[in-house]
Amino acid sequence: MSRSGKNVDTCDSVNGVGGSGASQGSNEVWSYLDHEIVQLTNLRSTPHEHLSRVLAGKSRLPVSPVKMLIGREGNYSGRGRFSSADNCHILSQYLPFCGPRMIDKMKSCAYVSQFAADGSLFIAGFQESHIRIYNVDRQWKVQKDIRAKSLGWTITDTSLSPDQHLLVYSSISPIVHVVNVGSAATESHANITEIHEGLEFSADHNDYYDYSFGIFSVKFSTDGRELVAGSNDDSIYVYDLDANKLTLRIPAHRSDVNSVCFADETGHLIYSGSDDDLCKVWDRRCFAAKGQAAGVLMGHLEGITSIDSRGDGRYLISNGKDQAIKLWDIRKMSSNVKYKSPPRKYEWDYRMMEYPNDARNRTHPADLSLATYKGHSVLRTLIRCYFSPAYSTGQKYIYTGSTDASVYIYDLVSGAQVARLDFHEEPVRDCSWHPVYPMIVSSSWDGVIASWEFPGNDEKPVVVKRTRRRRRPLY
């Protein structure tokens, strides 16, 4: 992990950690990130002070679950039970690195995947017009097999409504389609067995099949009433589902907007990440008056492929083509909304070239990020990254797919790589951590959906034979 203006060697990585605690280096640099988020993370994932003081034995090591159970029986905390932070401390020591178990294998590349908010459903979108919704609680039975409509190249994103009744999917097209997840039909072929309602996201593209316009990212608001989308016309769109109309278009960036999300449950703030190397913050309460971003977060040296909000309206992370994830606090954002990233001094195309070695140690002259995490690779496609779940880990980790066919997990505070999950044969474009259980599901261009768990079911990984694939996917 590095901070602005400094570079620090990360601790030795491991392939996984288990009941003995985090990786060897994790606790050695625990206090390195000197920021409020350290205290917030500790509050969510550190045991009660009485348990820490009485049971730790060695202050630099995590309190063992066995000692914590003894402490609970002895009522050392004075409350007779575990707090949510106690629970997170225990669960966060058992990372989902066992396995994997193959859930499904398709003939086309898996591009996007996500758990439902309660973990009962899992959605995976594939390149050849296919989306599958699995019922996790029913042994991963396919609950909905969706054949998409008006597909341009691939499914670029999916989003499940908070009430889990509707699924939207986007593509290289101005139309976002809506599927009724709760209908009785398992087979959902667009406008054949079921109607996939089309929502028009660009008044400037009147041709329903105009594939020059594409939506790379689409997300529901927390209340399920709105959608926010990022597109290749450098813009952000907001769609009001109740009014059934587009309510806002923001010419947001100077290049493709690859990722967007609402900052918190209020829906006032929107984060965006673009190929112009910038993350931006948009406050809808004052946008009409100012007509510009509330602030800019600069620090990446290449385009941004993915962003994820911590859900508190303050912190977010971004994945960049400069082969790094960055952690941001929007209170440090710049008011220079017209800022332009410094020009690149070398020719490079991330879709087909390795990242130049002489560029790996460069730093941004105006880096505003809190921390930088490196080890994974972001090439060929828009690799995604996320905060780990609040319920089970206290958002103590961040995790990402990688072009080298692995899933990487980093300690948020120390920057240590605490796990690398190896199984796939092609880039892992997306992955999702179960909101409650220690389980990560990875989705890869090899067409495989795989589940990593703790403690696992002792099944040996299914060997997936490498198949020759087109290497032109660009999104």
Side-chain angles (χ1 to χ4, degrees), residues 46 53 121 138 168 216 224 276:
T46 301
R53 184 170 64 249
L121 301 176
R138 297 182 62 188
V168 296
F216 294 149
D276 64 9

Side-chain angles (χ1 to χ4, degrees), residues 84-313:
S84 60
D86 295 335
N87 292 332
C88 283
H89 177 79
I90 293 176
L91 290 171
S92 65
Q93 294 184 58
Y94 299 93
L95 295 184
F97 71 93
C98 297
R101 177 170 65 93
M102 186 187 294
I103 293 171
D104 204 352
K105 179 173 172 58
M106 301 289 282
K107 295 181 179 179
S108 63
C109 302
Y111 264 71
V112 293
S113 58
Q114 66 173 129
F115 276 107
D118 65 359
S120 62
L121 301 176
F122 183 82
I123 299 95
F126 300 86
Q127 187 176 3
E128 294 181 358
S129 309
H130 223 120
I131 303 170
R132 282 190 166 178
I133 302 178
Y134 304 88
N135 190 317
V136 180
D137 296 335
R138 297 182 62 188
Q139 303 299 313
W140 293 87
K141 180 180 179 180
V142 176
Q143 178 168 308
K144 201 85 169 176
D145 199 354
I146 300 167
R147 287 289 186 172
K149 178 180 173 60
S150 305
L151 191 70
W153 181 248
T154 184
I155 301 289
T156 56
D157 206 2
T158 61
S159 185
L160 186 66
S161 63
D163 62 8
Q164 300 180 188
H165 291 166
L166 301 175
L167 178 78
V168 296
Y169 62 85
S170 62
S171 183
I172 311 301
S173 162
I175 308 297
V176 168
H177 289 92
V178 185
V179 183
N180 183 356
V181 174
S183 65
T186 300
E187 300 291 329
S188 181
H189 288 212
N191 299 348
I192 297 177
T193 61
E194 287 188 321
I195 298 298
H196 292 190
E197 181 184 358
L199 309 178
E200 174 65 63
F201 266 71
S202 178
D204 297 332
H205 298 261
N206 295 319
D207 184 355
Y208 193 85
Y209 298 98
D210 181 3
Y211 294 125
S212 65
F213 179 91
I215 294 173
F216 294 149
S217 178
V218 61
K219 297 290 184 295
F220 269 99
S221 60
T222 305
D223 60 12
R225 295 180 178 179
E226 292 182 308
L227 294 172
V228 62
S231 70
N232 66 351
D233 69 347
D234 312 343
S235 300
I236 297 171
Y237 293 85
V238 177
Y239 197 99
D240 187 320
L241 294 170
D242 290 338
N244 196 27
K245 67 177 183 180
L246 199 67
T247 56
L248 182 63
R249 175 183 179 268
I250 303 173
H253 289 269
R254 292 184 172 89
S255 190
D256 295 353
V257 180
N258 293 324
S259 189
V260 291
C261 64
F262 289 101
D264 56 23
E265 61 184 10
T266 68
H268 296 317
L269 295 179
I270 295 172
Y271 300 147
S272 61
S274 167
D275 270 337
D276 64 9
D277 310 347
L278 301 176
C279 290
K280 292 188 177 182
V281 181
W282 306 88
D283 192 334
R284 299 167 65 192
R285 294 166 294 187
C286 59
F287 178 76
K290 293 184 176 181
Q292 61 186 18
V296 176
L297 296 165
M298 64 276 285
H300 278 291
L301 297 166
E302 299 288 346
I304 293 159
T305 65
S306 171
I307 57 175
D308 186 42
S309 173
R310 193 168 179 266
D312 53 12

Side-chain angles (χ1 to χ4, degrees), residues 364-375:
H364 195 289
D367 192 352
L368 298 177
S369 65
L370 301 179
T372 302
Y373 309 82
K374 294 184 178 182

Side-chain angles (χ1 to χ4, degrees), residues 222-450:
T222 305
D223 60 12
R225 295 180 178 179
E226 292 182 308
L227 294 172
V228 62
S231 70
N232 66 351
D233 69 347
D234 312 343
S235 300
I236 297 171
Y237 293 85
V238 177
Y239 197 99
D240 187 320
L241 294 170
D242 290 338
N244 196 27
K245 67 177 183 180
L246 199 67
T247 56
L248 182 63
R249 175 183 179 268
I250 303 173
H253 289 269
R254 292 184 172 89
S255 190
D256 295 353
V257 180
N258 293 324
S259 189
V260 291
C261 64
F262 289 101
D264 56 23
E265 61 184 10
T266 68
H268 296 317
L269 295 179
I270 295 172
Y271 300 147
S272 61
S274 167
D275 270 337
D276 64 9
D277 310 347
L278 301 176
C279 290
K280 292 188 177 182
V281 181
W282 306 88
D283 192 334
R284 299 167 65 192
R285 294 166 294 187
C286 59
F287 178 76
K290 293 184 176 181
Q292 61 186 18
V296 176
L297 296 165
M298 64 276 285
H300 278 291
L301 297 166
E302 299 288 346
I304 293 159
T305 65
S306 171
I307 57 175
D308 186 42
S309 173
R310 193 168 179 266
D312 53 12
R314 290 186 179 179
Y315 300 102
L316 69 150
I317 55 174
S318 57
N319 221 356
K321 297 175 185 177
D322 53 2
Q323 315 303 300
I325 294 174
K326 284 187 175 289
L327 171 67
W328 309 93
D329 180 345
I330 70 169
R331 293 169 296 181
K332 291 171 61 72
M333 65 187 177
S334 171
S335 59
N336 182 11
V337 295
K338 297 185 182 296
Y339 175 85
K340 292 184 179 180
S341 295
R344 184 197 298 161
K345 297 181 180 179
Y346 52 89
E347 293 296 324
W348 177 66
D349 187 333
Y350 95 114
R351 294 172 298 178
M352 58 193 71
M353 300 170 65
E354 293 295 323
Y355 193 59
N357 286 329
D358 57 357
R360 291 183 180 274
N361 294 323
R362 289 194 309 142
T363 58
H364 195 289
D367 192 352
L368 298 177
S369 65
L370 301 179
T372 302
Y373 309 82
K374 294 184 178 182
H376 62 293
S377 59
V378 184
L379 300 167
R380 298 173 59 189
T381 188
L382 304 179
I383 303 291
R384 298 187 169 189
C385 65
Y386 304 95
F387 288 96
S388 64
Y391 175 84
S392 58
T393 71
Q395 296 180 303
K396 180 179 177 179
Y397 305 108
I398 58 176
Y399 64 105
T400 178
S402 180
T403 309
D404 64 9
S406 302
V407 175
Y408 287 76
I409 304 175
Y410 301 100
D411 187 293
L412 176 71
V413 175
S414 73
Q417 179 187 304
V418 297
R420 175 179 171 179
L421 312 180
D422 293 315
F423 171 62
H424 293 282
E425 298 289 343
E426 292 285 346
V428 176
R429 190 179 190 272
D430 208 352
C431 46
S432 187
W433 198 315
H434 193 283
V436 178
Y437 303 129
M439 175 194 300
I440 289 178
V441 177
S442 53
S443 51
S444 168
W445 274 6
D446 59 18
V448 172
I449 306 297

Side-chain angles (χ1 to χ4, degrees), residues 445-460:
W445 274 6
D446 59 18
V448 172
I449 306 297
S451 170
W452 306 81
E453 303 178 40
F454 187 93
N457 52 15
D458 296 327
E459 291 183 11
K460 294 182 179 180

